Structures are given as C-alpha cells and as structure tokens.
Amino acid sequence: MKTAQLLNFAQDRWIAGDAASQSSLVSAIDGTEVASTGSGGIDFKAMLDHARAVGGPALRAMTFHDRARLLKSLGLAILERKEELYELNYLTGATRKDGWIDIEGGAGTLLSFSSKGRRELPDANVLLDGALEPLSKEGSFVGQHIYTSMQGAAVHINAFNFPVWGMLEKLAPTLLAGVPAIIKPASSTAYLCEAAFRVMIDTGLLPPGAVQLIVGGVGDLFDHLTGQDVVSFTGSASTALKLRSHPVVARESVRFVAEQDSLNASILGPDAAPGTPEFDLFVKEVVNEMTVKAGQKCTAIRRAMAPAEYLDAVEAAIRERLAATVVGDPRDKASRMGALVSCAQRDDVRRQVAKLVEAGARIVVGDPDAAPGHSAGAFLDPILLRADDPWTATAVHDVEAFGPVSTIMPYRDLADAVALANRGMGSLALSLFSHSPDVARDFIQGAAAFHGRMLVINRDNAAESTGHGSPLPVLVHGGPGRAGGSEEMGGIRGVKHYMQRTAIQSTPGMIAAISGQYIPGGPKRFVEGHPFRKRMRDLHIGDTLRTASRTVTIEDIEHFAEFTGDKFYAHMDEEAAKASPIFEGRVAHGYLILSFAAGLFVWPDPGPVLANTGLENLRFLSPLYPGDSMRVELTVRSKALKSEETGVVRWAVEVFNQKDDLVATYDLLTENLP
C-alpha cells in the first residue's frame, strides 16, 4: 500500500512535521511501511495559545446541551465512515472484533456522553453542585457551589492500544465541559487516530480551536502549561511519573489525570467448584481477556486466582480453550487473535515473561519464542503461566507483560484472596466469579479500596454482563495507586475533571443570575396563562404560576384515610397527635397535600405536557391542620432535551399555607413537547 504522510492539525490547519522529525510506522501484520509521522517545526506554544484564545471562548459560549448535540453529531460521523477505519484497524494487528471495541465503542462513548449531557445537565453554562446552603436567618445571604469550565486547554496523551476509543473517551467529557483539547496519540497507531480525527474535522461542526492534533513528539509543549490546563494521560507508570514530575506541572499545579499500569485480577470464588456455571464463566473470561486485542488492554486479566484445590482444573480448562485459539492475520475470519501492535512490543512482552519465569512462575501453555503468522509480523502465542507460591514469586504482582499473557495462582481462603488481589497495589478492574452473596460482600468490602471497578459475575448476570475488561462511559475508568490514582469517564463525574468548583456567596437572586437557573428564594416571573399549555421552548427559567387556594377540612383528611388506608395516628387521633412533640393536633397527610397540590396546578386538557415522570427532593416543612388553606407556586427550574421529540422540564413546587409559611417543597419532572 502507498505510504501515507500523517499531518498535525495545529491552529485549524493541517501541517506536516519537518523532514528531520519523520519516522516510519509499519504494519503489525507483515512489517510493511504504512505511514510516516512527525511533529518537528510545530509551534506548540502557539497551539496552546490558540486553544485558550479561540477554542475555549467558542466552546464556553455554547451551553451544555449545545455541546452534547455536537458530541452526537461527531459520534454519528464516526459510525458513518467506520469501514474506512476498520481497514486501517487491521494494520494495527487487531481483528474486526477488536476494532469494534475501538471504533464503534469510541463512537458509542460520544453518544453516551451526549445523552448524559442532555438528560443530566442544564441548558446553561454553569453546573450547580449540591443544594443551596443557607448562611443567614432570613435567607438573603446564601451559598451555592458551582462548576464552570476551565479556561485553559486539555492535553490528551493517549496509548497505542485503542487509537480511536482512547481519543474519544477523553474528548467526550472534555468538550462537554467546554474545554478545547490538544490530542497526542501514540505514534505506532497514529495513522488510525489521525483518520478518525479527520472524520470529525470533515463534519465542519467543531468550533475553531476546539481540537488540535500532534502526530509526533510534544516538544516544549509542557513548558507552556498553566494552572488552567489539564493533562489527561494513558500509558506506562514510568512515563506518567516523568510527566507528573515536569517542573511546570508542579509549579503551576496543573491537573494531571493518569490511567497507567495495572495488574488486574480475576478471582474464582471458593463456592465456584469445577462443574459450576461460575467455574466455566471464569475460564472463558480469562481466555477472552488474554486474546482480545492480543491481550493489549489496560484492563486485561494479568492475575487469575483460584482456590488451591481447583487450580489444576483451572489450568486444564484454560489449556483446552487456548488450544482452539487460532493466531493469524486479523483479516482472516478464522483468526481468533491477531498480532501485537509492533515487533518491539512483542519483544518487550517476551522480556517481561522471562522476568516472571525467573521469579518462579512457569509457563504451562504457549511458547514465547514461537513466531506464528507472517514472519515479519508481530505475532505471539498466548502465554499462560502458573505461580504455585504467589507470595514468593512476587514479580507476578509487579511485572506486567502487556500482551496475551496471564498467570494463574492459588489462594488458601477468602482472606488470602483479598490480600493477593490487593498486592497489585491498585488496579483498574477486578472480577469475582461467585454465586454466594456472603463471599461477594466479604471480598468486595476487603478489596474495594484497591480497585477502580469491580464486577461480580455469575449465572444470573453473565448473559448480559459486559465482561471483565470493558470500560463503560457511565462508570469511572481508573484506579488507585499503581493504576494512576485518577478516574476518567463515569458519566458527568468525568466532565468535572475539566471544570472548576467554586463556592458562591450572595443573594438567591444573584446566584440565579450567575447560574442561569432558578434558585429557591430567587426572583420569579409570574406569568399569564397556564405554563402547561406552552411548549418547552416557550417556557423561561423563573416563569411561575401562582394558583388559587384550597381549604383542607377534617372531612378531606378522614376521606383520604379511608380511601387510601393510611390511618396513621397523627391524621386520625386528636389526643395522640396533641401529645406528639411536633403537632398541635390532627394534621393532613403529606400525600394528601401532594394530591391537592396537583389538583391546583395541573391543566386537564391534552397539551404540550405529556406526562409526570417523577418527583424529587420532597420535604414537608410545616404541618397543615384542618381549616388551613394551601396554595402552590409552580416555577420553571430547568429544561433539558430528552430527544428530538420530547424534553424534560424540572419545576420547583412550593406549597404555602394561609400564613405564607412553606408547607412542602419538591421538584416535579414532566415530559414535554419541545
């Protein structure tokens, strides 16, 4: 095939690195040259300046919903041109199945964050964090935590194993947060990353300066970072330490998000004897994690632990499954496993296997010196090692062979299994195969502090499980200690890595103006006409309906009690109610108050409000006694598009008595026509 010249995308222009910086990238299948890449001559300071001065303001001018819609469009564009990416995917040594995780999984991550952004974030530029904090007796001075976009750039340094997903799982929360990104892929698979990046640029939807690309070294980029910038890194612990230790990172307190080395474990529970569904599931998952992406996954199972009495059976079952694994050209449908990303990576795996053997583990399946597939390719047999004394062969907890390699080892009892799992000093993912709730509880409570994500898999959930090694956009991806100490994705949690939390103190009205969202106690706009008769686009934050009043009688209370069966003493027994330290006599049911409130504000005819979909944050603040009256103020708190056809309006509902005391407050969610 013709060698491609990879280009950098700097200051909204495609730029080739100078000739001196160029290096060749080769196919993992047969060693032929695929592309040349380099970034020499690029002005990295100018890239950062462009991101801050052009990209940042453009993104911050968009609301969360605008950015969420942008992510959806980018994800759909990737899917529309996925076949182009699959062709390049093979050159990395990956099968079609491997590429599905990378390419369609990456697009799916954009779509997931788009959906989360539209459903969980306001159509505004500021994100509220928690409830309003009262700071004064009369309520004129309050506090509110908010998140706003960082005003720097996010520098994304990605690994070679998932050139598309690795880029997009960082880019999705970054753009949703309103922060521009400078993306630096690993060189060995940069041709696939650059192709996916081009797809996004070709849409013409990204604001100027929102994204830039470096297809080579980063030069003096780190010298120009500031405290408003964020570094998000995936790779080895040694490289992470080098970057974390950069004097500018330390001096400027640059945020550093790291996902690095991880000796992930999978545990066969003591109840999962040979012949049980959990035993078979465990064996299948270990083999799957060894062979998918040729074991080049940061979440792959490196340590497989089983009760000592089951270890021989585990070895035999894994051996049988691996015997059916065909290693070869990933374009061949018969191949179950392709090549490693490069011959250099294959040779490094061989060196790490040798260290494990030297430390006391022994190879029981596979030959690290064998060369299946094309002689010039980076193919390697799956290698299973066994360490019969994992407390002596400590290298199995410290040395990661980043390829199709796993080590099985025994444990004595559940406490020993916990200690061995935690001996990895921090991992991204751990799986436990057990059908025993007692085993799951004791193990998770003992080990959770050392692992970022934990799965308990058994016969009840295996068919729907996403498996040990699948990071999900809605769950955090990261782990403590050796794994880097950070968290990516996790839905909106990941967005907050690129935002600053600030405590604001002022009046409710000021905070409402600052945040662009209604705050209890803030200004209301009493409107003519019922708001339930308006489409969502015609509603404004702060629009308020003030209802008529309704008197609650003793007959209402008694009828409600008989009708519902709720005959709690405070509603039915005058003397007992008076004896209570909080009531002066019989009171109306809380749910009666809610029902009457709905009767006061609901519009009965069909219209833009399609359904009541929920009620949140309910508080009963003052008792309502027989003879008291109640009225409602219904205020538009926030709006969010659910789909092209419907949206969700959050209403602040405040119920007052005849003295204007608050009786109850809650948030009402309605599904509306947009």
Side-chain angles (χ1 to χ4, degrees):
M1 64 177 291
K2 183 179 179 180
T3 300
Q5 167 73 67
L6 301 188
L7 301 179
N8 304 274
F9 191 72
Q11 297 172 265
D12 301 311
R13 294 179 295 125
W14 290 102
I15 305 173
D18 60 29
S21 69
Q22 296 297 308
S23 60
S24 295
L25 308 180
V26 301
S27 164
I29 302 172
D30 56 17
T32 57
E33 187 173 15
V34 173
S36 64
T37 185
S39 60
I42 301 296
D43 188 338
F44 298 108
K45 180 180 183 299
M47 290 182 71
L48 282 168
D49 290 342
H50 186 66
R52 296 176 189 131
V54 178
L59 287 169
R60 293 194 298 274
M62 303 167 69
T63 68
F64 288 112
H65 288 191
D66 294 333
R67 300 172 207 147
R69 287 188 285 270
L70 172 62
L71 293 182
K72 180 179 180 180
S73 297
L74 297 178
L76 293 176
I78 294 287
L79 291 176
E80 287 174 5
R81 294 175 60 182
K82 64 184 181 182
E83 293 304 326
E84 302 171 33
L85 304 178
Y86 273 120
E87 288 303 312
L88 293 174
N89 164 72
Y90 292 127
L91 301 177
T92 71
T95 65
R96 174 92 182 192
K97 179 181 177 182
D98 297 335
W100 179 85
I101 301 169
D102 187 29
I103 297 164
E104 298 189 49
T109 298
L110 290 176
L111 298 178
S112 177
F113 270 92
S114 173
S115 177
K116 297 283 280 186
R118 285 176 288 139
R119 285 188 288 110
E120 299 180 24
L121 297 176
D123 193 13
N125 307 90
V126 172
L127 175 60
L128 301 180
D129 178 43
L132 200 68
E133 298 287 349
L135 302 177
S136 65
K137 184 177 180 179
E138 300 298 327
S140 64
F141 189 58
V142 295
Q144 175 70 59
H145 290 91
I146 66 170
Y147 280 102
T148 57
S149 308
M150 300 282 283
Q151 296 192 19
V155 176
H156 294 171
I157 300 178
N158 298 325
F160 66 79
N161 51 343
F162 289 100
V164 180
W165 177 85
M167 169 175 64
L168 300 182
E169 63 101 8
K170 289 182 173 66
L171 192 60
T174 301
L175 291 181
L176 189 53
V179 176
I182 297 174
I183 298 162
K184 194 286 182 203
S187 292
S188 57
T189 53
Y191 50 88
L192 180 50
C193 177
E194 191 234 39
F197 186 93
R198 281 182 179 272
V199 170
M200 294 189 290
I201 295 300
D202 288 348
T203 67
L205 298 174
L206 283 157
V211 294
Q212 298 178 81
L213 180 70
I214 300 172
V215 290
V218 296
D220 65 350
L221 182 71
F222 273 55
D223 293 340
H224 307 292
L225 295 176
T226 73
Q228 285 293 311
D229 300 315
V230 183
V231 175
S232 185
F233 169 84
T234 299
S236 69
S238 59
T239 303
L241 178 61
K242 179 181 177 181
L243 296 178
R244 282 185 194 269
S245 303
H246 191 285
V248 173
V249 172
R251 185 189 72 216
E252 300 292 330
S253 297
V254 177
R255 291 190 189 183
F256 198 99
V257 182
E259 185 255 287
Q260 57 190 49
D261 297 354
S262 176
L263 277 86
N264 312 290
S266 186
I267 318 297
L268 181 67
D271 59 301
T276 64
E278 287 70 35
F279 181 92
D280 295 338
L281 290 167
F282 171 78
V283 169
K284 179 181 178 182
E285 196 70 5
V286 171
V287 172
N288 187 61
E289 289 297 307
M290 290 177 68
T291 55
V292 170
K293 269 282 182 176
Q296 299 167 114
K297 294 171 59 183
C298 56
T299 53
I301 296 170
R302 303 301 177 197
R303 301 175 298 146
M305 304 172 186
E309 61 270 28
Y310 304 157
L311 197 63
D312 288 342
V314 166
E315 179 187 326
I318 293 176
R319 181 192 302 275
E320 182 179 356
R321 275 191 167 268
L322 285 176
T325 301
V326 177
V327 180
D329 191 323
R331 294 169 294 197
D332 187 340
K333 292 183 179 180
S335 297
R336 289 282 306 279
M337 189 179 95
L340 278 73
V341 72
S342 67
C343 290
Q345 181 62 25
R346 178 201 61 195
D347 293 344
D348 181 70
V349 171
R350 287 172 171 167
R351 286 191 293 271
Q352 304 314 311
V353 169
K355 291 179 183 178
L356 293 170
V357 171
E358 184 180 357
R362 54 191 173 92
I363 297 173
V364 293
V365 177
D367 178 1
D369 295 322
H374 195 287
S375 59
F379 296 92
L380 184 69
D381 279 344
I383 307 295
L384 182 69
L385 297 102
R386 174 167 171 163
D388 288 295
D389 186 355
W391 287 110
T392 299
T394 56
V396 298
H397 308 295
D398 296 318
V399 174
E400 182 180 20
F402 200 75
V405 180
S406 188
T407 303
I408 59 173
M409 60 194 73
Y411 66 83
R412 297 184 295 271
D413 53 29
L414 197 62
D416 191 46
V418 169
L420 285 171
N422 295 350
R423 175 60 182 79
M425 301 307 293
S427 80
L428 299 171
L430 178 145
S431 52
L432 170 67
F433 289 79
S434 174
H435 200 244
S436 167
D438 292 339
V439 167
R441 180 195 62 238
D442 293 347
F443 186 89
I444 297 295
Q445 290 183 3
F450 287 80
H451 308 280
R453 178 169 55 88
M454 303 180 80
L455 304 79
V456 181
I457 302 178
N458 54 44
R459 67 196 74 176
D460 299 329
N461 62 14
E464 293 187 310
S465 166
T466 52
H468 169 98
S470 300
L472 299 172
V474 297
L475 301 178
V476 294
H477 177 53
R482 188 200 300 270
S486 297
E487 298 175 344
E488 296 185 311
M489 298 197 297
I492 303 306
R493 296 172 187 85
V495 176
K496 294 175 182 177
H497 286 308
Y498 304 95
M499 305 189 80
Q500 175 63 44
R501 180 163 52 193
T502 304
I504 305 297
Q505 296 170 268
S506 190
T507 65
M510 281 294 187
I511 293 177
I514 291 165
S515 65
Q517 296 158 75
Y518 174 73
I519 301 292
K524 298 175 180 178
R525 178 174 171 265
F526 293 99
V527 295
E528 298 293 331
H530 201 291
F532 278 20
R533 300 177 66 185
K534 297 180 180 180
R535 297 180 74 101
M536 193 172 75
R537 61 175 174 263
D538 298 320
L539 295 171
H540 301 92
I541 304 302
D543 281 359
T544 302
L545 170 71
R546 176 183 283 159
T547 73
S549 295
R550 172 173 182 164
T551 300
V552 177
T553 68
I554 193 69
E555 290 77 18
D556 292 329
I557 295 171
E558 291 181 347
H559 175 74
F560 191 86
E562 291 296 330
F563 187 71
T564 64
D566 180 356
K567 298 182 180 181
F568 186 61
Y569 80 90
H571 313 307
M572 305 302 292
D573 188 329
E574 183 72 21
E575 294 304 316
K578 284 183 177 179
S580 164
I582 59 175
F583 301 126
E584 298 174 3
R586 295 171 69 178
V587 297
H589 304 69
Y591 296 112
L592 180 150
I593 295 170
L594 297 184
S595 299
F596 281 8
L600 289 169
F601 65 69
V602 166
W603 183 260
D605 299 333
V609 174
L610 305 175
N612 171 351
T613 59
L615 182 155
E616 297 178 355
N617 306 317
L618 172 63
R619 295 291 183 272
F620 294 113
L621 304 173
S622 301
L624 197 67
Y625 296 100
D628 284 350
S629 65
M630 55 175 283
R631 63 176 180 84
V632 177
E633 291 186 6
L634 179 74
T635 305
V636 178
R637 186 161 191 165
S638 66
K639 303 184 296 181
L641 275 176
K642 185 177 180 181
S643 67
E644 299 303 322
E645 293 78 28
T646 64
V648 174
V649 178
R650 179 180 292 268
W651 308 82
V653 182
E654 297 167 299
V655 181
F656 297 89
N657 65 15
Q658 70 278 8
K659 301 175 184 177
D660 284 337
D661 297 329
L662 270 174
V663 173
T665 63
Y666 57 95
D667 286 355
L668 172 71
L669 305 178
T670 61
E671 190 156 339
N672 290 50
L673 292 175

